[in-house]
Amino acid sequence: MSGRTRVRACPQRTCVGCRKRSDKPDLLRVVLSGGRCVPDLRGTLPGRGAYLHPTSACLDQAVRRRAFNRAFRGPGPFDVAGLRRQVEQIEKAEP
């Protein structure tokens, strides 16, 4: 062995709600599908994605600032009801 350790770099993304950078696995990817913001839990849905901390506070900030309109480059408002339910489920599951 050469003595080097291989540390894999973890990609960084910015939350559209609080604008803080975090590791990609710590954020929830959101895509636009038919005028609705849909959570992409596996990260495989097609289209442009926006990243969000899975907390109600970040979701509220993103909606208030119209961050999804900028991220998806389209006129809003977009339906976030399904996304809000998913975020609430994630918050309940985390201790």
Side-chain angles (χ1 to χ4, degrees):
M1 247 189 168
S2 66
R4 288 190 195 171
T5 57
R6 285 195 169 234
V7 178
R8 291 191 64 127
C10 189
Q12 296 275 308
R13 299 290 183 263
T14 302
C15 173
V16 294
C18 65
R19 305 290 299 155
K20 292 184 181 174
R21 293 183 62 80
S22 295
D23 292 337
K24 187 176 174 181
D26 297 337
L27 298 170
L28 176 65
R29 183 173 187 258
V30 180
V31 295
L32 188 63
S33 176
R36 296 180 306 147
C37 291
V38 178
D40 184 9
L41 301 176
R42 295 185 342 183
T44 57
L45 291 177
R48 185 174 185 84
Y51 290 86
L52 180 76
H53 284 112
T55 63
S56 296
C58 284
L59 178 58
D60 291 339
Q61 281 184 337
V63 170
R64 188 174 57 242
R65 290 189 201 170
R66 299 183 189 130
F68 292 119
N69 297 4
R70 283 191 305 277
F72 297 131
R73 299 180 180 166
F78 300 117
D79 182 24
V80 295
L83 178 60
R84 189 171 302 279
R85 282 193 300 274
Q86 184 66 40
V87 167
E88 288 171 358
Q89 286 179 354
I90 292 171
E91 284 183 323
K92 286 180 185 176
E94 291 179 358

